[in-house]
């Protein structure tokens, strides 16, 4: 009985992790149609921000939760101005450009910090589920993923910025004729997506370790989840993360993590085969 | 500036020509002062960049350090040693490419290098074909049996058995094994199982994890369910360090102790939290905190050579240093750099006083007989728990006899 409690906890943590690593990409790829292959590197930059801040004695919670999204959003802003803004509507070209950005960022960080693994201490200890130990930090991840999804929902639904953003993504020309400046909206949306990726990187740094090539471990899963989710960014991310996280954790526990990963991919293939536009391409179409 | 300033006048050309002739001639004079002969060429294949750069960078410095020490003493046989080093960038393709360049184009006299077992197996056949002497200097799973190849790193029979002995004596009989999912992890896990059962223990479970796994929650849950008395880890690489972090974060570290065959060979003790690293028991051929003059001299010498206060000097660095020094001793004994003569000299049972203690080349296995040590991290330093003198590479020696069968060119895998 207790072990099923632990597994349930692991499943929730797995889903929360997937939500975190996917949400930034969902904004950039799902809304803006930019194939952002540098997504993993944005996370890596967030993790480095957290590690550097902790090393300089910044309060651990500020270093993990506040600084990474701000810093990475600013970097995203600069990259959007310098590279991405010339490529809107050219999906394949964005892939090439962001691939280049990703390699460049890995090289840059390697030459600044060296090819070593930095470590960020875990700010909370463990707790027990019956006789089994579980990581208290997982609760932080779960809370953060709920905040990220909920915050994004409120931003889109309840604020003027959200309305303008959705309008611009749907039809930039029409939005422009209503007096909105689409380039500014694109710029801030890209920064928002980058910031969310940075948020995930900072949060995951204590459990994964911080190294220049860490992004590669996440980018594929993020893309699969976004594609599985479909056009509705928030609902899609939540549903696809829930489905894939559940399958992955259960199979991992019953067999091995390798088969867990295989099961996740098989589930994704079956899903895309039957629902080419993702879950929200068929269901919950009017959701966000 | 006018265009004419860019043109080379005849006078300028003469000056330039004279200067370059002088420059070109200068090394010749210098070399003549030292020796009339061409330098001995040593090739090195190690990863300075990529995921393995963390391990490779100290091995590269150790190679350079050994060569500079030899050259300071006047080289070998009156000839300087020239190091031709390639950065293999953690890429097997580059290993084979550079190996061919070194063996066929540069015609080097000896090759030192290779980090992962897969890289060694990729380049070993190339050197067998060209009959280029090859030293593999990494702690590995054992079993390489090749007339042309010498391995200086420790193997499971020298280390894993002591780790298991310690664990079954102090922690209990029931273990759970987690290992990296490639040949090193699988073979090391086999040895772990063998030693645990030999000590009357049981293995509650074995998990193999690919090198790109970052989330260990399901593995940790399975370990908790199996409730072993200790965990043995042969996890490798940067991503797998997450296991130790998550193990610590779930509070398991206080409940179930861990022994590892790879942990601490990189900069784990400096980079990770003390609460995560302390108490993970390991067994290697060298620790930077060994209290012997040879170890202290090596550490301070290498730190001075690198120019920084490097703490992450492990067996990887000393075995690399040993590889160069054993070769150098054999060359002096043979009076030649010819591969066949150096191999017979290496097979004569030569030994050196290495940083980790006395290291002898075993003629039968081409592996080293060397002391090993058991140690655990305590506040970013290694606390030595036990010393084992003159450990024989029994894993390879069980089936490999290069004195009787000099034409063997294989890697034996354990059969139980």
């Amino acid at each position: 009985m207790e072990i099923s409690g632990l597994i349930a906890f692991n499943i929730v943590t797995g889903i929360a992790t997937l939500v975190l690593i996917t949400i930034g990409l969902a904004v950039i790829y799902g809304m803006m149609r930019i194939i952002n292959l540098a997504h993993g590197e944005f996370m890596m930059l967030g993790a480095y921000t957290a590690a550097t801040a902790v090393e300089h004695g910044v309060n651990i919670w500020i270093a993990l939760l506040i600084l990474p999204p701000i810093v990475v959003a600013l970097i995203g802003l600069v990259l959007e101005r310098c590279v991405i803004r010339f490529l809107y509507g050219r999906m394949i070209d964005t892939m090439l450009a962001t691939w280049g950005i990703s390699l460049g960022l890995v090289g840059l960080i390697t030459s600044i910090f060296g090819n070593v693994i930095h470590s960020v201490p875990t700010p909370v200890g463990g707790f027990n589920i019956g006789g089994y130990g579980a990581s208290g930090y997982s609760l932080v991840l779960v809370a953060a993923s709920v905040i990220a999804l909920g915050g994004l929902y409120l931003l889109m639904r309840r604020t003027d910025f959200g309305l303008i953003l959705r309008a611009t993504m749907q039809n930039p020309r029409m939005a422009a004729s209503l007096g909105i400046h689409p380039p500014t909206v694109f710029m801030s949306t890209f920064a928002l997506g980058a910031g969310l990726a940075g948020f995930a990187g900072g949060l995951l740094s204590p459990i994964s370790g911080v190294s220049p090539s860490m992004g590669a471990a996440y980018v594929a899963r993020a893309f699969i989840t976004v594609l599985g989710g479909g056009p509705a960014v928030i609902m899609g991310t939540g549903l696809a993360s829930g489905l894939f996280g559940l399958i992955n954790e259960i199979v991992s526990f019953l067999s091995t993590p390798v088969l867990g990963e295989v099961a996740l991919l098989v589930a994704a293939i079956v899903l895309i085969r039957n629902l080419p536009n993702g879950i929200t391409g068929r269901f919950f179409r009017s959701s966000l | 500036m006018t265009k004419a300033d860019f043109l080379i006048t005849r006078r300028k050309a003469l000056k330039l020509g004279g200067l370059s002739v002088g420059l070109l001639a200068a090394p010749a004079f210098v070399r003549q002062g030292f020796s009339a002969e061409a330098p001995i060429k040593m090739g090195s294949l190690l990863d300075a960049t990529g995921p393995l750069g963390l391990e490779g960078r100290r091995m590269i410095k150790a190679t350079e350090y050994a060569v500079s020490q030899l050259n300071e003493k006047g080289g070998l046989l009156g000839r300087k040693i020239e190091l031709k080093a390639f950065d293999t960038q953690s890429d097997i393709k580059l290993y084979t490419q550079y190996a061919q360049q070194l063996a066929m184009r540069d015609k080097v006299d000896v090759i030192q290098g290779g980090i992962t077992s897969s890289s060694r197996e990729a380049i070993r056949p190339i050197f067998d074909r060209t009959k280029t002497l090859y030293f593999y200097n990494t702690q590995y799973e054992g079993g390489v049996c090749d007339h042309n190849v010498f391995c200086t790193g420790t193997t499971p029979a020298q280390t894993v058995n002591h780790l298991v002995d310690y664990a079954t004596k102090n922690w209990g009989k029931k273990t759970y094994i987690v290992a990296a999912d490639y040949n090193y992890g699988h073979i090391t896990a086999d040895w772990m199982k063998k030693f645990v059962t030999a000590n009357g223990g049981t293995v509650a479970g074995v998990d193999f994890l690919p090198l790109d796994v970052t989330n260990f929650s399901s593995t940790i849950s399975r370990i908790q369910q199996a409730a072993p008395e200790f965990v043995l880890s042969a996890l490798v690489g940067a991503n797998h360090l997450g296991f130790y972090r998550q193990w610590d974060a779930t509070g398991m570290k206080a409940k179930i102790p861990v022994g590892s065959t790879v942990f601490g060979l990189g900069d784990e003790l400096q980079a990770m939290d003390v609460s995560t690293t302390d108490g993970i028991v390991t067994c290697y051929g060298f620790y930077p905190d060994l209290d012997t003059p040879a170890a202290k001299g090596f550490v301070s010498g290498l730190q001075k050579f690198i120019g920084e206060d490097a703490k992450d000097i492990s067996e990887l660095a000393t075995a690399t240093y040993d590889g160069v020094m054993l070769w150098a001793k054999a060359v002096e004994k043979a009076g030649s750099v010819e591969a066949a003569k150096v191999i017979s000299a290496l097979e004569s049972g030569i030994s050196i006083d290495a940083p980790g203690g006395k290291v002898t080349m075993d003629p039968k296995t081409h592996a080293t007989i060397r002391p090993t040590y058991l140690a655990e991290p305590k506040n970013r330093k290694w606390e030595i728990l036990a010393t084992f003198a003159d450990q024989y590479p029994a894993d390879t020696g069980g089936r490999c006899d290069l004195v009787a069968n000099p034409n063997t060119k294989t890697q034996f895998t354990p059969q139980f």
Side-chain angles (χ1 to χ4, degrees), chain A residues 5-28:
Chain A
L6 180 66
I7 296 165
F9 180 70
N10 279 344
I11 291 171
V12 174
T13 312
I15 293 171
T17 312
L18 264 185
V19 166
L20 285 171
I21 64 179
T22 307
I23 185 97
L25 189 70
V27 169
I28 291 178

Side-chain angles (χ1 to χ4, degrees), chain A residues 3 6 10 115-119 121 125-126 128 132-135 206-209 217-218 221 249 252-255 257-258, chain B residues 49-51 54 57 181 208-210 214-215 217-219 221-222 224-225 238 241-242 245-246 249-250 255 267 271-273:
Chain A
I3 190 77
L6 180 66
N10 279 344
N115 194 356
V116 295
I117 310 146
H118 290 257
S119 195
N128 284 334
Y132 297 105
S135 168
I207 53 172
S208 69
Y218 296 106
R221 264 188 294 165
E249 287 292 330
S252 294
F253 180 78
L254 294 178
S255 52
V258 189
Chain B
T49 51
L54 186 62
R57 57 188 187 140
D181 198 2
F208 292 108
L209 298 147
T214 52
N215 181 2
S217 61
S218 63
T219 302
S221 307
R222 284 148 60 91
Q224 292 194 49
Q225 199 192 21
L241 290 181
R245 286 196 193 90
Q246 292 169 33
T250 47
K255 295 179 193 161
D267 69 343
M272 294 174 83
D273 236 38

Side-chain angles (χ1 to χ4, degrees), chain B residues 117 120 138-144 153-165 183-195 234 261 283-284 315 367-368 372 388 391-397 411-414 416:
Chain B
S117 295
R120 178 199 65 236
T138 311
Q139 169 263 12
Y140 84 113
E141 69 279 2
V144 168
T154 56
T155 55
Q158 296 170 311
T159 56
V160 177
N161 61 340
H162 298 305
L163 188 62
V164 171
D165 279 350
N183 53 359
Y184 171 76
H186 280 270
I187 295 176
T188 307
D190 281 346
W191 283 110
M192 287 171 172
K193 278 188 236 169
K194 180 180 161 25
F195 292 133
T261 60
C283 186
Y284 302 124
E315 182 195 316
T368 54
T372 58
F388 312 98
Q391 293 298 299
Y392 184 72
D395 36 26
T396 310
Q411 179 180 13
F412 290 115
T413 46
F416 308 117

Side-chain angles (χ1 to χ4, degrees), chain B residues 253-272:
Chain B
K253 199 162 160 290
K255 295 179 193 161
I256 302 177
V258 177
S260 172
T261 60
V262 185
F263 188 82
L265 289 175
D267 69 343
E268 289 93 333
L269 258 55
Q270 272 59 52
M272 294 174 83

Side-chain angles (χ1 to χ4, degrees), chain A residues 125-141:
Chain A
F127 67 98
N128 284 334
I129 301 176
Y132 297 105
S135 168
Y137 193 68
S138 299
L139 293 174
V140 178
L141 292 182

Side-chain angles (χ1 to χ4, degrees), chain A residues 28-75:
Chain A
I28 291 178
Y29 175 68
M31 295 179 77
M32 305 178 72
R33 313 314 289 173
I34 304 282
I35 301 182
N36 182 21
L37 289 176
H39 179 68
E41 279 60 44
F42 284 175
M43 288 179 60
M44 180 266 288
L45 290 174
Y48 267 95
T49 309
T52 313
V54 169
E55 270 163 36
H56 286 81
V58 177
N59 175 290
I60 182 104
W61 293 109
I62 295 175
L64 288 181
L65 299 172
I66 313 288
L67 289 177
I70 296 174
V71 170
V72 181
L74 289 175
I75 294 169

